[in-house]
């Protein structure tokens, strides 16, 4: 049988408590009983010896000092002559007259349910001898003790029950958050509702910490799940546009193109869209591999200065179409450990963005230098800039502030830049002002490409 943790904890500590209480109470009762017995007997002996000190003999017999009571604090005291004849004092009814006299020994005399302790002491002088007898009822002395022990024995089960119920309630309360976690996890599992949270709020114990960790984990899971969904839908959308153009151009050419020129025109469009698609697919493939951690860096010592020169030269042609003036300040012979293809892609993406989002007859400056033993690349334009509210979004895949502006790219460029830089253990940041321009700064370690 499988019991819940609450029940197991409750059973365990209730059993332990019962055991402990039984042992402690048992010990207390047995020592208590012995203690009462010893006190009772001491009281008896003391009473007898007290009387003996107050006894006087003379020729006429014995006399007692004043103030000797025959009954005091449960002890009866009486005096007998040597034949056992009662000379003085009271004898409780329960004590038989034939109880033998034994010097300085406690006898137990049973009468019905009653038990008495009887203690005798012989008192001898040259004038004669007497027995002093003390008698005390055992029950009398035990009474309070018995009442108390009965109270304890009756009260104990109630106390244990109270502890068990209280313990169970506390355990149940402590486990309530866990119940909530189970419920939330179930609902997520059943309905794939990733927006479920436990929302326990702030608390000090471990269960609260667990619930909050769970919620944070769900935040991240939901975000990445939604990113994934967004990515898939964006990717399908981006692939659909060129596909539709290709199909319609082919259909048009097949049905309506009469001259070779007309067919060529359609083919041109098909080719352009095919390049665009192929470019998109290879970028997607790269990012997908990067996500899976399969994209290994092909690390080698590369001359980043030369690589930057080459890219700048390539891009100058594009820039000229927009009459953008490119200036570069490249520190020579910067050699670093890196993946040439990926770093080239990074340079192309940053510089081509500077051109795409630059203003006609604008400026684009490229600076490459070593600073604090690290490579620093700055790509600065005086183009359209990025609004503050959009600046954090530009690194997301498929994000475009204005998708009508560039028809050849789809918003993967900066996502790739970020991935490439981070894969080289570097960092990239942007400062931008709408209408004034943007500055992208990349910092890369010179060695140690993969950390
Ligand atoms: P895209 O394919 O659209 O260029 P990117 O990932 O390279 O995609 O850039 C994402 C968005 O960031 C761009 O659509 C653009 O709005 C903005 N952006 C990138 N670079 C610049 C820049 N130099 N100046 C202004 N906006 C930029």
């Amino acid at each position: 049988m499988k019991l819940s943790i609450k029940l197991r904890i409750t059973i365990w500590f209730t059993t332990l408590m019962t055991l402990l209480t039984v042992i402690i109470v048992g010990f207390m009762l047995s020592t208590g009983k012995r203690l009462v017995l010893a006190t009772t007997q001491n009281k008896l002996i003391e009473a007898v010896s007290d009387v003996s000190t107050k006894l006087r003999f003379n020729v006429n017999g014995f006399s007692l000092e004043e103030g000797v009571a025959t009954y005091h604090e449960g002890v009866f005291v009486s005096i007998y002559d040597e034949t056992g004849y009662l000379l003085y004092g009271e004898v409780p009814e329960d004590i038989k007259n034939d109880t033998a006299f034994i010097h300085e020994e406690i006898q137990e005399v049973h009468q019905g349910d009653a038990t008495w302790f009887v203690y005798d002491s012989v008192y001898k002088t040259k004038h004669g001898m007497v027995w002093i007898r003390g008698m005390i009822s055992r029950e009398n002395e035990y009474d309070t003790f018995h009442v108390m022990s009965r109270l304890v024995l009756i009260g104990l089960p109630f106390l244990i029950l109270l502890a068990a119920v209280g313990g169970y309630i506390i355990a149940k309360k402590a486990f309530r958050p866990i119940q909530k976690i189970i419920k939330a996890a179930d609902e997520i599992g059943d309905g794939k509702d990733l927006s479920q949270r436990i929302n326990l709020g702030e608390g000090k114990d471990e269960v609260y910490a667990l619930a909050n960790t769970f919620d944070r984990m769900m935040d991240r899971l939901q975000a990445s799940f939604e990113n994934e969904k967004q990515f898939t839908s964006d990717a399908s959308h981006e692939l659909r546009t060129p596909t539709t153009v290709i199909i319609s151009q082919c259909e048009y050419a097949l049905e309506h193109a009469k001259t070779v020129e007309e067919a060529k025109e359609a083919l041109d469009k098909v080719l352009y869209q095919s390049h665009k698609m192929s470019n998109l697919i290879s970028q997607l493939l790269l990012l997908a591999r990067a996500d899976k951690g399969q994209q290994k860096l092909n690390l080698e010592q590369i001359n980043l200065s030369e690589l930057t020169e080459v890219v700048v030269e390539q891009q100058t042609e594009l820039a000229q179409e927009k009459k953008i003036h490119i200036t570069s300040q490249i520190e020579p012979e910067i050699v670093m450990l890196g993946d040439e293809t990926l770093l080239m892609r990074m340079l192309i993406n940053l510089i081509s963005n500077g051109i795409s989002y630059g203003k006609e007859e604008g400026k684009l400056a490229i600076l490459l230098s070593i600073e604090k033993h690290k490579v620093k690349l700055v790509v600065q334009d005086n183009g359209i800039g990025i609004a503050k509210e959009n600046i954090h979004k530009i690194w997301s895949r498929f994000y475009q502030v204005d998708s009508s502006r560039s028809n050849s790219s789809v918003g993967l460029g900066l996502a790739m830049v970020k991935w490439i830089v981070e894969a080289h253990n570097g960092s990239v940041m942007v400062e931008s002002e709408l209408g004034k321009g943007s500055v992208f700064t990349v910092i890369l370690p010179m060695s140690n490409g993969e950390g």
Side-chain angles (χ1 to χ4, degrees), residues 3 29 33 65 72 77 82 104 135 147 168 189 199 212 269 274 327 332 347 350 355 365 409 446 450:
L3 296 174
L29 288 184
K33 203 167 176 176
E65 270 179 26
H72 181 63
V77 180
E82 56 196 287
E104 289 184 354
M135 291 149 287
V147 171
Y168 184 77
N199 278 336
N212 288 331
K269 286 181 186 153
S274 305
T327 52
L347 286 162
L350 285 176
I355 299 167
S409 57
M446 294 187 68
E450 269 180 325

Side-chain angles (χ1 to χ4, degrees), residues 283 349-350 352-358 364 379 381 383-386 390 393-403 405-406 408-417 430 432 437-440:
Q283 288 189 60
N349 288 3
L350 285 176
S352 67
N353 272 355
I355 299 167
S356 302
Y357 306 106
L364 182 63
V379 181
D381 64 59
I384 60 166
I386 307 159
N390 294 329
K393 302 185 209 160
I394 58 169
W395 308 104
S396 308
R397 291 170 190 183
F398 292 111
Y399 179 77
Q400 292 180 301
V401 175
D402 176 6
S403 53
R405 253 194 95 87
S406 72
S408 61
S409 57
V410 290
L412 287 175
L414 288 180
M416 268 172 60
V417 168
V430 60
S432 187
S438 318
V439 187
F440 285 84

Side-chain angles (χ1 to χ4, degrees), residues 274-308:
S274 305
H275 275 311
K276 193 173 161 181
M277 226 161 90
S278 153
N279 185 27
L280 177 62
I281 289 170
S282 59
Q283 288 189 60
L284 280 177
L285 207 64
L286 188 83
L287 282 171
R289 282 210 201 112
D291 281 349
K292 276 171 116 187
Q294 284 174 349
Q295 181 67 39
K296 287 263 175 293
L297 296 192
N298 191 7
L299 290 178
E300 54 192 331
Q301 292 292 338
I302 54 163
N303 189 327
L304 197 66
S305 310
E306 276 176 13
L307 197 67
T308 313

